C-alpha cells in the first residue's frame, strides 16, 4: 500500500519508477486469496476504522466500501448487548434525550438474545465518542503518552463502560488485547470509528493495492523480484541484477525494512489469526461486529462477512470470519477450530456443528505495535536519495500506510526540486 502510493505520486510527477515486489502478487498484507469460492483477507485488522478516510484519496477514486450495520454487539456480563451507532448524537445530554425518547417509543425488532444496552451507558459512550469525533486529530496526538489501558482509566468513565464496551472495541480496532498501544493513537482509532461507519473493501482488501497499481504505467511493477540491498544509487536483487537509480524508497514491512536498512528500528508486532467458517446461512441477520468482552474463548471479535459483502462467498453460503489475538493466535488450527466453534455457538446462540472450516490463517507480524510513546510520523527521509515508508512509520492501518507513502513521495520530490502535482520530463528511474 505504501510503496504503490509512493510510486503513483512519483510517476504522476514525471519520474520513471520501478516497483520491485518480492511476492508473486502485489499488496503486501493487503491481500485476498480465494479458497473454494470464498474470498479471504490475509490476517490483519478485520475492523479497520481508517478505511472510510481513503474514499477521498485521488488514487482510490474507484474504491467500493461495503458498510457494516451501525452499532455493535458486545457480549459482556454474560449477556449480549446491542449498542447504537456512536454518531447518533454529539453530546451526553443529547444522547440521553434521544435514548429517553427511544425508550418511550415502540421498539423495532432486533436480533434474538441481543438486549439494548441501558440508556445511561449509551449516553456516556455517545458523549465520549462524540467529543472525540469533534476533536482535531492533531490535538488528540498531542495528549500525554500513556498506554491505552491507563489512558482509558483517566477518561472519567465508570469501569462498566470501559470494560464492557471501550476495552473490547479498542482491542478489536488495534489488534492489541493488552492495550499497550499509545493512548493518543487509541483515541485516534476511536475517533475514526466515531466519524465513519466500519466497512469492508468490496471483494476483499486486495482491491486497494489493485487500484493503485492500475494507475501506474504498464511494466512499472515487477513481481517475484526480491531486493537484497539498497543504497542511494542502486538496488541489488536476488536475480543478480543491479538496478541503478537516482533514489530508492524502501516500502516493505517493518522486519524487511530493518534488514535492508541497518540501524532502522524494528517495531514489535501483534500476532493475528483469522478463522474462516462457512455456514448455510449467517448466524446474525445483519453484518454487525460481535465483540466478546467476557473473553469466553480465543475469539476477540467476529463478523458474518458475507452479510456485508456477498461477493466474498458463493451463492447460498455464508462466510463468518473470527479474529484471535494474543498467545491463542499461535495455537494449532484443529485446536482453534474446536474452541472457536464452541465460543461462536454460545455467542450467536446457534448450532455450529454443521459449519465448515474454510481456512485458518496466522500472521505473527500482522500489525505493527504502537506502544507508548509512539511517534506517528517517523522520518521517511533517511538520506538524500534513500527513503523508507510503511505503516510502521505512521499508524498501523491502511490509511497510515497510504499517508506514509505520500510523505515519502513528497520527500523525494522536494529533494529533486519538484512540487507534488507538477509534471516534468521523465527523470532517471527511482526504484
Amino acid at each position: 500500500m505504501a510503496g504503490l502510493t509512493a510510486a503513483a505520486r512519483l510517476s504522476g510527477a514525471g519520474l520513471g519508477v520501478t516497483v520491485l515486489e518480492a511476492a508473486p502478487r502485489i499488496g503486501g498484507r493487503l491481500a485476498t486469496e480465494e479458497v473454494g469460492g470464498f474470498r479471504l483477507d490475509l490476517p490483519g485488522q478485520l475492523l479497520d476504522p481508517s478505511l472510510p478516510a481513503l474514499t477521498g484519496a485521488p488514487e482510490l477514486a474507484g474504491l467500493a466500501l461495503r458498510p457494516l450495520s451501525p452499532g455493535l454487539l458486545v457480549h459482556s456480563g454474560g449477556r449480549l448487548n446491542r449498542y447504537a451507532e456512536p454518531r447518533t448524537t454529539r453530546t451526553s445530554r443529547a444522547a440521553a434525550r434521544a435514548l429517553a425518547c427511544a425508550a418511550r417509543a415502540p421498539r423495532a425488532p432486533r436480533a434474538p438474545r441481543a438486549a439494548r444496552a441501558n440508556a445511561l451507558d449509551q449516553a456516556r459512550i455517545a458523549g465520549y465518542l462524540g467529543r472525540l469525533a469533534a476533536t482535531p486529530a492533531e490535538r488528540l496526538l498531542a495528549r500525554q503518552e500513556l498506554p491505552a489501558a491507563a489512558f482509558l482509566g483517566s477518561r472519567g468513565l465508570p469501569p462498566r463502560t470501559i470494560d464492557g464496551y471501550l476495552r473490547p472495541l479498542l482491542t478489536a480496532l488495534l489488534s492489541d488485547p493488552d492495550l499497550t498501544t499509545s493512548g493518543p493513537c487509541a483515541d485516534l482509532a476511536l475517533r475514526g470509528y466515531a466519524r465513519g461507519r466500519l466497512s469492508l473493501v468490496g471483494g476483499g482488501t486486495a482491491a486497494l493495492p489493485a487500484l493503485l497499481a492500475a494507475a501506474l504505467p504498464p511494466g512499472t511493477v515487477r513481481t517475484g523480484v526480491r531486493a537484497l540491498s539498497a543504497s542511494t544509487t542502486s538496488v541489488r536483487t536476488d536475480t543478480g541484477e543491479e538496478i541503478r537509480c537516482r533514489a530508492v524508497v524502501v516500502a516493505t514491512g517493518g522486519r524487511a525494512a530493518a534488514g535492508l536498512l541497518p540501524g532502522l528500528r524494528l517495531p514489535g508486532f501483534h500476532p493475528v489469526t483469522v478463522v474462516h467458517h462457512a455456514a448455510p446461512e449467517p448466524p446474525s441477520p445483519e453484518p454487525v461486529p460481535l465483540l466478546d468482552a467476557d473473553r469466553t474463548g480465543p475469539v476477540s471479535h467476529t463478523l458474518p462477512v458475507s452479510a456485508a459483502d456477498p461477493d466474498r462467498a458463493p451463492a447460498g453460503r455464508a462466510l463468518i470470519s473470527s479474529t484471535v489475538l494474543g498467545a491463542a493466535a499461535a495455537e494449532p488450527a484443529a485446536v482453534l477450530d474446536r474452541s472457536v466453534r464452541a465460543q461462536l455457538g454460545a455467542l450467536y446462540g446457534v448450532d455450529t456443528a454443521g459449519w465448515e472450516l474454510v481456512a485458518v490463517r496466522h500472521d505473527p507480524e500482522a500489525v505493527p505495535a504502537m506502544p507508548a510513546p509512539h511517534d506517528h510520523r517517523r522520518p521517511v527521509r533517511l538520506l538524500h536519495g534513500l527513503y523508507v515508508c510503511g505503516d510502521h512509520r505512521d499508524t498501523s492501518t491502511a490509511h497510515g500506510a497510504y499517508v506514509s507513502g505520500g510523505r515519502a513521495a513528497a520527500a523525494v520530490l522536494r529533494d529533486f526540486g519538484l512540487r507534488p502535482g507538477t509534471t516534468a520530463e521523465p527523470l532517471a528511474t527511482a526504484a
Side-chain angles (χ1 to χ4, degrees), residues 142-157:
R143 290 178 174 178
Q144 183 183 8
E145 283 282 355
L146 293 171
F151 211 68
L152 284 177
S154 67
R155 299 297 89 185
L157 297 170

Side-chain angles (χ1 to χ4, degrees), residues 133-228:
T135 303
E138 294 75 15
R139 284 183 56 191
L140 294 182
L141 293 169
R143 290 178 174 178
Q144 183 183 8
E145 283 282 355
L146 293 171
F151 211 68
L152 284 177
S154 67
R155 299 297 89 185
L157 297 170
R160 183 176 68 180
T161 303
I162 293 173
D163 295 332
Y165 181 87
L166 288 176
R167 187 180 299 276
L169 175 58
L170 272 177
T171 295
L173 297 181
L174 302 170
S175 299
D176 178 9
D178 297 322
L179 293 187
T180 58
T181 297
S182 155
C185 289
D187 266 358
L188 191 66
L190 288 174
R191 178 181 183 270
Y193 169 70
R195 289 170 67 92
R197 183 172 296 176
L198 290 172
S199 304
L200 302 177
V201 178
T205 57
L208 278 169
L211 284 170
L212 292 169
L216 297 172
T220 298
V221 180
R222 296 173 55 187
T223 58
V225 180
R226 182 180 298 277
L228 299 181

